[in-house]
Amino acid sequence: MKLASYKSGRDGQLMIVDRGLQRCCPAGDLAPTMQTALDDWSNIAPRLQERYEHLCEGTLDASSAFEPGKCAAPLPRSYHWADGSAYVTHVELVRKARGADMPTSFWEDPLVYMGASDAFIGPEDPVTAESEDWGIDFEGEVVVVTDDVAAGTTADEAAKHIKLLGIVNDVSLRNLIPGELAKQFGFYQSKPWTAFAPVFVTPDELGTAWDGARLHLPLRATLNGELIGAPNAGQDMTFDFPTLIAHCAKSRSLISGTVIGSGTVSNVGSKDGSCCLAEVRCLETLRDGKPSTPFMSFGDRIHIEMLDGEGASVFGAIDQQIRPFERSTV
């Protein structure tokens, strides 16, 4: 099943989207919003699934062309957004480029931070910043969405709580990060709103690419028409999603609609390229002594997408332009 949210108010209008991302139909009579569906998933999901099957079969009258430009994030705001750094070789590379050793504990205990979830943005909404000097970077990631997860849930138990998957551009303002981390209190200003691809999908839609813990498909990142990388999201993922969920639920329960990110997808040696410019720059630093690739500039366009084995888009595309923001109340 594939689900989206058309822009409407703060929480969107829940839509069911067909497998090929061509047609859609409203689901408001079953659940007005994605969060409503997640709050009663065991009862609502089968009814959404039935309508999805009719939509895919072409036997549903009330359908229309799917328009990604109308999409908010599938879950326009969430009670909880926890982002990991599951590809530890990426962390190792970044630290190596700045001459820092990596504690051995990083291979055994996941890095996770809580991000801003009061508003996620849609696949074609612009990335905005006040200044190019902030070091605007994209980060291609895979995310999972859970139902209620009890505190103390183990990794073995956690897999059953994964209800939906998606991909995101977890934007980073790289030049603001060092100052924040120097305070030893984590990210805030350096992590603006996160953008989501148009649809979330249920695990069964992914076939053998989803093994219950990792998604084994390449995540393609293209900047201004140039492919930056297409690393496989299932490869070199040190901490799988059940492990990340268990880590987050160690000391408290997770509420339905919790979104947990993988961190920047990265493969050892980056032979398939990178899903962020920071990694490109680190590789350049190790090779040449300094980076040569700039961070993004106003007017740049970043495109992030995951294709299945047949070349079809799984989640739809994130396609965003970088723009200066205008001051407003929202």
Side-chain angles (χ1 to χ4, degrees), residues 44-57:
I44 293 176
R47 298 162 67 192
L48 292 171
Q49 180 69 34
E50 182 180 10
R51 187 170 298 178
Y52 172 72
E53 291 169 1
H54 289 307
L55 178 65
C56 291
E57 292 165 358

Side-chain angles (χ1 to χ4, degrees), residues 20-21 67 83 139 145 222 225 237 257 268 280:
L21 306 179
E67 300 180 65
D83 198 17
E139 290 191 59
V145 185
T222 304
M237 188 182 190
V268 174
V280 173

Side-chain angles (χ1 to χ4, degrees), residues 245-289:
I245 292 169
H247 179 86
C248 292
K250 179 177 180 177
S251 58
R252 59 172 167 147
S253 298
L254 307 179
I255 303 304
S256 64
T258 292
V259 182
I260 295 181
S262 65
T264 306
V265 175
S266 179
N267 292 164
V268 174
S270 297
K271 62 181 179 61
D272 294 313
S274 303
C275 270
C276 70
L277 294 177
E279 184 167 292
V280 173
R281 288 166 58 88
C282 286
L283 290 168
E284 291 169 344
T285 298
L286 292 171
R287 185 187 67 229
D288 306 323

